[in-house]
PDB file of all heavy atoms in Angstrom:
ATOM      1  N   THR A 263      70.570  11.730  95.061  1.00  0.00           N
ATOM      2  CA  THR A 263      70.586  13.097  95.562  1.00  0.00           C
ATOM      3  C   THR A 263      69.878  13.169  96.884  1.00  0.00           C
ATOM      4  O   THR A 263      68.806  12.503  97.107  1.00  0.00           O
ATOM      5  CB  THR A 263      69.809  14.006  94.604  1.00  0.00           C
ATOM      6  OG1 THR A 263      70.486  14.020  93.319  1.00  0.00           O
ATOM      7  CG2 THR A 263      69.730  15.504  95.095  1.00  0.00           C
ATOM      8  N   GLN A 264      70.421  13.929  97.850  1.00  0.00           N
ATOM      9  CA  GLN A 264      69.775  14.090  99.132  1.00  0.00           C
ATOM     10  C   GLN A 264      69.583  15.594  99.433  1.00  0.00           C
ATOM     11  O   GLN A 264      70.432  16.372  99.098  1.00  0.00           O
ATOM     12  CB  GLN A 264      70.499  13.405 100.245  1.00  0.00           C
ATOM     13  CG  GLN A 264      71.931  13.705 100.416  1.00  0.00           C
ATOM     14  CD  GLN A 264      72.259  14.796 101.295  1.00  0.00           C
ATOM     15  OE1 GLN A 264      71.442  15.297 102.087  1.00  0.00           O
ATOM     16  NE2 GLN A 264      73.576  15.202 101.368  1.00  0.00           N
ATOM     17  N   ASP A 265      68.424  15.956 100.035  1.00  0.00           N
ATOM     18  CA  ASP A 265      68.211  17.331 100.360  1.00  0.00           C
ATOM     19  C   ASP A 265      68.212  17.660 101.855  1.00  0.00           C
ATOM     20  O   ASP A 265      67.574  18.604 102.315  1.00  0.00           O
ATOM     21  CB  ASP A 265      66.883  17.767  99.725  1.00  0.00           C
ATOM     22  CG  ASP A 265      65.688  16.984 100.303  1.00  0.00           C
ATOM     23  OD1 ASP A 265      65.897  16.133 101.196  1.00  0.00           O
ATOM     24  OD2 ASP A 265      64.564  17.288  99.893  1.00  0.00           O
ATOM     25  N   MET A 266      68.931  16.819 102.606  1.00  0.00           N
ATOM     26  CA  MET A 266      68.941  16.956 104.031  1.00  0.00           C
ATOM     27  C   MET A 266      70.298  17.589 104.584  1.00  0.00           C
ATOM     28  O   MET A 266      70.507  17.636 105.736  1.00  0.00           O
ATOM     29  CB  MET A 266      68.782  15.617 104.771  1.00  0.00           C
ATOM     30  CG  MET A 266      67.417  14.940 104.416  1.00  0.00           C
ATOM     31  SD  MET A 266      67.231  13.290 105.069  1.00  0.00           S
ATOM     32  CE  MET A 266      68.145  12.344 103.810  1.00  0.00           C
ATOM     33  N   ASN A 267      71.119  18.004 103.609  1.00  0.00           N
ATOM     34  CA  ASN A 267      72.412  18.598 103.906  1.00  0.00           C
ATOM     35  C   ASN A 267      73.249  17.663 104.719  1.00  0.00           C
ATOM     36  O   ASN A 267      74.012  18.068 105.619  1.00  0.00           O
ATOM     37  CB  ASN A 267      72.217  19.962 104.692  1.00  0.00           C
ATOM     38  CG  ASN A 267      73.435  20.813 104.565  1.00  0.00           C
ATOM     39  OD1 ASN A 267      74.128  20.821 103.529  1.00  0.00           O
ATOM     40  ND2 ASN A 267      73.683  21.625 105.603  1.00  0.00           N
ATOM     41  N   HIS A 268      73.185  16.373 104.434  1.00  0.00           N
ATOM     42  CA  HIS A 268      74.024  15.420 105.095  1.00  0.00           C
ATOM     43  C   HIS A 268      75.385  15.342 104.496  1.00  0.00           C
ATOM     44  O   HIS A 268      75.562  15.385 103.307  1.00  0.00           O
ATOM     45  CB  HIS A 268      73.376  13.993 104.995  1.00  0.00           C
ATOM     46  CG  HIS A 268      72.196  13.851 105.926  1.00  0.00           C
ATOM     47  ND1 HIS A 268      71.374  12.723 105.877  1.00  0.00           N
ATOM     48  CD2 HIS A 268      71.738  14.568 106.943  1.00  0.00           C
ATOM     49  CE1 HIS A 268      70.407  12.812 106.750  1.00  0.00           C
ATOM     50  NE2 HIS A 268      70.570  13.934 107.404  1.00  0.00           N
ATOM     51  N   ASN A 269      76.473  15.220 105.411  1.00  0.00           N
ATOM     52  CA  ASN A 269      77.787  15.114 104.913  1.00  0.00           C
ATOM     53  C   ASN A 269      78.112  13.765 104.412  1.00  0.00           C
ATOM     54  O   ASN A 269      78.925  13.562 103.471  1.00  0.00           O
ATOM     55  CB  ASN A 269      78.787  15.570 106.001  1.00  0.00           C
ATOM     56  CG  ASN A 269      78.739  16.961 106.304  1.00  0.00           C
ATOM     57  OD1 ASN A 269      78.710  17.810 105.380  1.00  0.00           O
ATOM     58  ND2 ASN A 269      78.797  17.350 107.611  1.00  0.00           N
ATOM     59  N   TYR A 270      77.489  12.768 105.008  1.00  0.00           N
ATOM     60  CA  TYR A 270      77.894  11.358 104.739  1.00  0.00           C
ATOM     61  C   TYR A 270      76.850  10.730 103.740  1.00  0.00           C
ATOM     62  O   TYR A 270      75.683  10.839 103.973  1.00  0.00           O
ATOM     63  CB  TYR A 270      77.974  10.520 106.029  1.00  0.00           C
ATOM     64  CG  TYR A 270      79.014  10.962 106.996  1.00  0.00           C
ATOM     65  CD1 TYR A 270      78.884  12.162 107.765  1.00  0.00           C
ATOM     66  CD2 TYR A 270      80.210  10.177 107.132  1.00  0.00           C
ATOM     67  CE1 TYR A 270      79.834  12.573 108.640  1.00  0.00           C
ATOM     68  CE2 TYR A 270      81.187  10.614 108.059  1.00  0.00           C
ATOM     69  CZ  TYR A 270      80.985  11.765 108.784  1.00  0.00           C
ATOM     70  OH  TYR A 270      81.930  12.238 109.591  1.00  0.00           O
ATOM     71  N   MET A 271      77.456  10.026 102.762  1.00  0.00           N
ATOM     72  CA  MET A 271      76.571   9.327 101.829  1.00  0.00           C
ATOM     73  C   MET A 271      77.177   7.957 101.523  1.00  0.00           C
ATOM     74  O   MET A 271      78.409   7.784 101.594  1.00  0.00           O
ATOM     75  CB  MET A 271      76.436  10.127 100.502  1.00  0.00           C
ATOM     76  CG  MET A 271      75.649  11.458 100.810  1.00  0.00           C
ATOM     77  SD  MET A 271      75.221  12.338  99.285  1.00  0.00           S
ATOM     78  CE  MET A 271      73.886  11.354  98.630  1.00  0.00           C
ATOM     79  N   TYR A 272      76.333   7.045 101.153  1.00  0.00           N
ATOM     80  CA  TYR A 272      76.719   5.629 100.987  1.00  0.00           C
ATOM     81  C   TYR A 272      76.061   4.998  99.806  1.00  0.00           C
ATOM     82  O   TYR A 272      74.897   5.292  99.469  1.00  0.00           O
ATOM     83  CB  TYR A 272      76.388   4.865 102.260  1.00  0.00           C
ATOM     84  CG  TYR A 272      76.686   5.528 103.553  1.00  0.00           C
ATOM     85  CD1 TYR A 272      75.775   6.438 104.106  1.00  0.00           C
ATOM     86  CD2 TYR A 272      77.870   5.356 104.203  1.00  0.00           C
ATOM     87  CE1 TYR A 272      76.038   7.077 105.258  1.00  0.00           C
ATOM     88  CE2 TYR A 272      78.131   5.933 105.377  1.00  0.00           C
ATOM     89  CZ  TYR A 272      77.238   6.834 105.942  1.00  0.00           C
ATOM     90  OH  TYR A 272      77.573   7.503 107.065  1.00  0.00           O
ATOM     91  N   TRP A 273      76.737   4.029  99.224  1.00  0.00           N
ATOM     92  CA  TRP A 273      76.122   3.166  98.199  1.00  0.00           C
ATOM     93  C   TRP A 273      76.215   1.714  98.675  1.00  0.00           C
ATOM     94  O   TRP A 273      77.320   1.235  99.039  1.00  0.00           O
ATOM     95  CB  TRP A 273      76.797   3.255  96.855  1.00  0.00           C
ATOM     96  CG  TRP A 273      76.278   4.387  96.022  1.00  0.00           C
ATOM     97  CD1 TRP A 273      76.856   5.531  95.726  1.00  0.00           C
ATOM     98  CD2 TRP A 273      75.018   4.462  95.335  1.00  0.00           C
ATOM     99  NE1 TRP A 273      76.083   6.353  94.934  1.00  0.00           N
ATOM    100  CE2 TRP A 273      74.958   5.679  94.629  1.00  0.00           C
ATOM    101  CE3 TRP A 273      74.033   3.468  95.185  1.00  0.00           C
ATOM    102  CZ2 TRP A 273      73.909   5.997  93.787  1.00  0.00           C
ATOM    103  CZ3 TRP A 273      72.869   3.854  94.386  1.00  0.00           C
ATOM    104  CH2 TRP A 273      72.879   5.055  93.717  1.00  0.00           C
ATOM    105  N   TYR A 274      75.109   0.998  98.684  1.00  0.00           N
ATOM    106  CA  TYR A 274      75.040  -0.438  98.987  1.00  0.00           C
ATOM    107  C   TYR A 274      74.487  -1.220  97.811  1.00  0.00           C
ATOM    108  O   TYR A 274      73.721  -0.662  97.007  1.00  0.00           O
ATOM    109  CB  TYR A 274      74.094  -0.667 100.158  1.00  0.00           C
ATOM    110  CG  TYR A 274      74.549  -0.043 101.469  1.00  0.00           C
ATOM    111  CD1 TYR A 274      74.174   1.295 101.841  1.00  0.00           C
ATOM    112  CD2 TYR A 274      75.342  -0.685 102.421  1.00  0.00           C
ATOM    113  CE1 TYR A 274      74.529   1.790 103.033  1.00  0.00           C
ATOM    114  CE2 TYR A 274      75.760  -0.167 103.581  1.00  0.00           C
ATOM    115  CZ  TYR A 274      75.267   1.062 103.930  1.00  0.00           C
ATOM    116  OH  TYR A 274      75.680   1.623 105.093  1.00  0.00           O
ATOM    117  N   ARG A 275      74.790  -2.394  97.708  1.00  0.00           N
ATOM    118  CA  ARG A 275      74.116  -3.328  96.833  1.00  0.00           C
ATOM    119  C   ARG A 275      73.587  -4.476  97.644  1.00  0.00           C
ATOM    120  O   ARG A 275      74.046  -4.891  98.725  1.00  0.00           O
ATOM    121  CB  ARG A 275      75.020  -3.940  95.763  1.00  0.00           C
ATOM    122  CG  ARG A 275      76.247  -4.706  96.221  1.00  0.00           C
ATOM    123  CD  ARG A 275      77.014  -5.291  95.055  1.00  0.00           C
ATOM    124  NE  ARG A 275      76.278  -6.395  94.479  1.00  0.00           N
ATOM    125  CZ  ARG A 275      76.645  -7.021  93.350  1.00  0.00           C
ATOM    126  NH1 ARG A 275      77.740  -6.645  92.715  1.00  0.00           N
ATOM    127  NH2 ARG A 275      75.954  -8.004  92.875  1.00  0.00           N
ATOM    128  N   GLN A 276      72.419  -4.950  97.138  1.00  0.00           N
ATOM    129  CA  GLN A 276      71.716  -6.085  97.829  1.00  0.00           C
ATOM    130  C   GLN A 276      71.309  -7.137  96.789  1.00  0.00           C
ATOM    131  O   GLN A 276      70.484  -6.884  95.955  1.00  0.00           O
ATOM    132  CB  GLN A 276      70.455  -5.644  98.628  1.00  0.00           C
ATOM    133  CG  GLN A 276      69.759  -6.729  99.379  1.00  0.00           C
ATOM    134  CD  GLN A 276      68.616  -6.225 100.215  1.00  0.00           C
ATOM    135  OE1 GLN A 276      67.895  -5.307  99.830  1.00  0.00           O
ATOM    136  NE2 GLN A 276      68.429  -6.846 101.358  1.00  0.00           N
ATOM    137  N   ASP A 277      72.001  -8.258  96.871  1.00  0.00           N
ATOM    138  CA  ASP A 277      71.701  -9.400  95.981  1.00  0.00           C
ATOM    139  C   ASP A 277      70.457 -10.093  96.499  1.00  0.00           C
ATOM    140  O   ASP A 277      70.142 -10.060  97.666  1.00  0.00           O
ATOM    141  CB  ASP A 277      72.879 -10.313  95.879  1.00  0.00           C
ATOM    142  CG  ASP A 277      74.076  -9.609  95.288  1.00  0.00           C
ATOM    143  OD1 ASP A 277      73.909  -8.641  94.542  1.00  0.00           O
ATOM    144  OD2 ASP A 277      75.192 -10.035  95.513  1.00  0.00           O
ATOM    145  N   PRO A 278      69.713 -10.793  95.568  1.00  0.00           N
ATOM    146  CA  PRO A 278      68.488 -11.476  95.975  1.00  0.00           C
ATOM    147  C   PRO A 278      68.668 -12.382  97.213  1.00  0.00           C
ATOM    148  O   PRO A 278      69.547 -13.187  97.287  1.00  0.00           O
ATOM    149  CB  PRO A 278      68.134 -12.277  94.745  1.00  0.00           C
ATOM    150  CG  PRO A 278      68.765 -11.522  93.622  1.00  0.00           C
ATOM    151  CD  PRO A 278      69.998 -10.945  94.118  1.00  0.00           C
ATOM    152  N   GLY A 279      67.844 -12.114  98.208  1.00  0.00           N
ATOM    153  CA  GLY A 279      67.829 -12.960  99.437  1.00  0.00           C
ATOM    154  C   GLY A 279      69.013 -12.699 100.429  1.00  0.00           C
ATOM    155  O   GLY A 279      69.200 -13.417 101.302  1.00  0.00           O
ATOM    156  N   MET A 280      69.779 -11.655 100.077  1.00  0.00           N
ATOM    157  CA  MET A 280      70.952 -11.414 100.896  1.00  0.00           C
ATOM    158  C   MET A 280      70.819 -10.063 101.597  1.00  0.00           C
ATOM    159  O   MET A 280      69.870  -9.274 101.391  1.00  0.00           O
ATOM    160  CB  MET A 280      72.249 -11.402  99.974  1.00  0.00           C
ATOM    161  CG  MET A 280      72.365 -12.640  99.194  1.00  0.00           C
ATOM    162  SD  MET A 280      72.676 -14.092 100.137  1.00  0.00           S
ATOM    163  CE  MET A 280      74.396 -13.820 100.572  1.00  0.00           C
ATOM    164  N   GLY A 281      71.834  -9.763 102.417  1.00  0.00           N
ATOM    165  CA  GLY A 281      71.861  -8.450 103.172  1.00  0.00           C
ATOM    166  C   GLY A 281      72.601  -7.433 102.249  1.00  0.00           C
ATOM    167  O   GLY A 281      72.917  -7.658 101.110  1.00  0.00           O
ATOM    168  N   LEU A 282      72.692  -6.214 102.798  1.00  0.00           N
ATOM    169  CA  LEU A 282      73.284  -5.171 102.035  1.00  0.00           C
ATOM    170  C   LEU A 282      74.777  -5.094 102.285  1.00  0.00           C
ATOM    171  O   LEU A 282      75.187  -5.317 103.364  1.00  0.00           O
ATOM    172  CB  LEU A 282      72.620  -3.775 102.473  1.00  0.00           C
ATOM    173  CG  LEU A 282      71.223  -3.491 102.057  1.00  0.00           C
ATOM    174  CD1 LEU A 282      70.206  -4.141 102.828  1.00  0.00           C
ATOM    175  CD2 LEU A 282      70.979  -1.954 102.072  1.00  0.00           C
ATOM    176  N   LYS A 283      75.511  -4.779 101.224  1.00  0.00           N
ATOM    177  CA  LYS A 283      76.941  -4.687 101.338  1.00  0.00           C
ATOM    178  C   LYS A 283      77.378  -3.284 100.846  1.00  0.00           C
ATOM    179  O   LYS A 283      76.939  -2.831  99.751  1.00  0.00           O
ATOM    180  CB  LYS A 283      77.595  -5.763 100.510  1.00  0.00           C
ATOM    181  CG  LYS A 283      77.458  -7.194 101.069  1.00  0.00           C
ATOM    182  CD  LYS A 283      78.329  -8.175 100.437  1.00  0.00           C
ATOM    183  CE  LYS A 283      78.071  -9.552 100.984  1.00  0.00           C
ATOM    184  NZ  LYS A 283      78.498  -9.668 102.396  1.00  0.00           N
ATOM    185  N   LEU A 284      78.291  -2.698 101.564  1.00  0.00           N
ATOM    186  CA  LEU A 284      78.695  -1.332 101.233  1.00  0.00           C
ATOM    187  C   LEU A 284      79.707  -1.352 100.048  1.00  0.00           C
ATOM    188  O   LEU A 284      80.688  -2.071 100.071  1.00  0.00           O
ATOM    189  CB  LEU A 284      79.424  -0.804 102.485  1.00  0.00           C
ATOM    190  CG  LEU A 284      79.869   0.740 102.400  1.00  0.00           C
ATOM    191  CD1 LEU A 284      78.758   1.633 102.275  1.00  0.00           C
ATOM    192  CD2 LEU A 284      80.692   1.090 103.610  1.00  0.00           C
ATOM    193  N   ILE A 285      79.409  -0.455  99.083  1.00  0.00           N
ATOM    194  CA  ILE A 285      80.238  -0.361  97.942  1.00  0.00           C
ATOM    195  C   ILE A 285      81.273   0.758  98.045  1.00  0.00           C
ATOM    196  O   ILE A 285      82.503   0.495  97.941  1.00  0.00           O
ATOM    197  CB  ILE A 285      79.411  -0.121  96.586  1.00  0.00           C
ATOM    198  CG1 ILE A 285      78.303  -1.160  96.504  1.00  0.00           C
ATOM    199  CG2 ILE A 285      80.299  -0.134  95.416  1.00  0.00           C
ATOM    200  CD1 ILE A 285      77.298  -0.883  95.311  1.00  0.00           C
ATOM    201  N   TYR A 286      80.734   1.953  98.194  1.00  0.00           N
ATOM    202  CA  TYR A 286      81.539   3.113  98.467  1.00  0.00           C
ATOM    203  C   TYR A 286      80.866   4.066  99.423  1.00  0.00           C
ATOM    204  O   TYR A 286      79.662   3.925  99.567  1.00  0.00           O
ATOM    205  CB  TYR A 286      81.775   3.880  97.192  1.00  0.00           C
ATOM    206  CG  TYR A 286      82.952   3.526  96.317  1.00  0.00           C
ATOM    207  CD1 TYR A 286      82.844   2.612  95.315  1.00  0.00           C
ATOM    208  CD2 TYR A 286      84.216   4.049  96.598  1.00  0.00           C
ATOM    209  CE1 TYR A 286      83.925   2.229  94.537  1.00  0.00           C
ATOM    210  CE2 TYR A 286      85.309   3.685  95.800  1.00  0.00           C
ATOM    211  CZ  TYR A 286      85.129   2.804  94.764  1.00  0.00           C
ATOM    212  OH  TYR A 286      86.231   2.373  93.956  1.00  0.00           O
TER     213      TYR A 286
END
Side-chain angles (χ1 to χ4, degrees):
Chain A
T263 299
Q264 53 91 9
D265 63 359
M266 297 176 281
N267 201 33
H268 285 171
N269 288 319
Y270 294 75
M271 296 187 73
Y272 315 86
W273 274 107
Y274 294 91
R275 61 175 286 172
Q276 185 175 32
D277 297 336
M280 305 295 285
L282 287 79
K283 292 189 182 295
L284 183 65
I285 305 172
Y286 271 97

